[in-house]
Amino acid sequence: TLTFGGNILVDGAVSIAKRFKISQAIIGLTIVAIGTSLPELIVSVTASLQGNTEIAIANVTGSNIANIFLILGLSALIAPVMISKTARRFDIPFVILTTLLLLLMTSDKLIDGAGSNFLSRIDGIILLSVAIAYILYSIKHHSFDHQDEELIEASHSLGKTLIWIGGGIVALLIGGKLLVDGAVTVATSFGLSETIIGLTIVAVGTSAPELATSIIAARK
């Protein structure tokens, strides 16, 4: 349900973008990139609202680990993965810096002598601000070739597109709740911590859109 919802939501969003003459390059950097991360977003938010915060943080960190080692590793096995100059000089170092930032934010006991480690609302605002700044910087500074700048017509009618977007959101919400509930049940049944479940089953499950997209891209 998560993968299906993410796919049709991204397809609908891309169709809308094409209809309003937004370049494919910007679509890839924004709509597709964010769209494939919607399962992680929905699962983590759902887990937080239900009080299962261990699943929320474990899902994010576990998904990042799966993206780098599992997904990138499988892609490289299928075909050599070319690394652009921009990715090597900016994107990859940025991944390292954001990881260090998260580590710093979750070290309250060490830094402040607090009773527990947690992400506050201020931390959330900072993280969201960094995400927005990264997207804006990427759109402005990534170099695109002529083919990337070509605009193509929307492939679906506006009505069908809106239905896809709405259906995708509903599917993501349902899938997110089912995955969180199932993960909590499994953790409880086998005496496992929510962190272990979040780092493994939930993380790999919510990384399915990135896995499918990367493998298809490598094969092509």
Side-chain angles (χ1 to χ4, degrees), residues 36 56 58 61 83 92 99-100 112 116 126 142 144-145 148-149 151 153 155 165 167 177 180 191 211:
T36 54
T61 53
I83 309 299
I92 295 175
T99 302
L100 292 175
D112 301 328
S116 60
I126 294 174
H142 272 68
F144 308 124
D145 57 31
D148 287 331
E149 292 294 349
L151 300 176
E153 298 296 327
S155 55
I165 291 176
K177 189 176 189 317
V180 172
L211 177 61

Side-chain angles (χ1 to χ4, degrees), residues 12-86:
V14 169
S15 183
I16 286 279
K18 291 175 181 177
R19 179 174 297 277
F20 288 98
K21 307 299 182 182
I22 300 174
S23 74
Q24 296 180 63
I26 294 179
I27 292 173
L29 279 170
T30 56
I31 298 173
V32 176
I34 295 174
T36 54
S37 296
L38 283 176
E40 285 92 342
L41 173 64
I42 296 297
V43 167
S44 293
V45 170
T46 302
S48 296
L49 291 174
Q50 294 180 356
N52 306 117
T53 55
E54 289 185 18
I55 288 182
I57 187 67
N59 173 43
V60 173
T61 53
S63 293
N64 286 338
I65 292 171
N67 285 339
I68 294 174
F69 294 105
L70 174 62
I71 297 175
L72 201 56
L74 287 175
S75 299
L77 283 177
I78 296 172
V81 178
M82 303 303 295
I83 309 299
S84 69
K85 183 183 295 185
T86 303

Side-chain angles (χ1 to χ4, degrees), residues 95-113:
V95 170
I96 297 173
L97 288 176
T98 52
T99 302
L100 292 175
L101 177 61
L102 179 61
L103 180 62
L104 181 66
M105 288 181 169
T106 54
S107 300
D108 300 281
K109 286 184 178 181
L110 179 63
I111 297 175
D112 301 328

Side-chain angles (χ1 to χ4, degrees), residues 172-193:
L172 282 171
L173 292 173
I174 295 174
K177 189 176 189 317
L178 290 175
L179 186 57
V180 172
D181 291 345
V184 173
T185 300
V186 170
T188 303
S189 300
F190 290 92
L192 300 174
S193 69

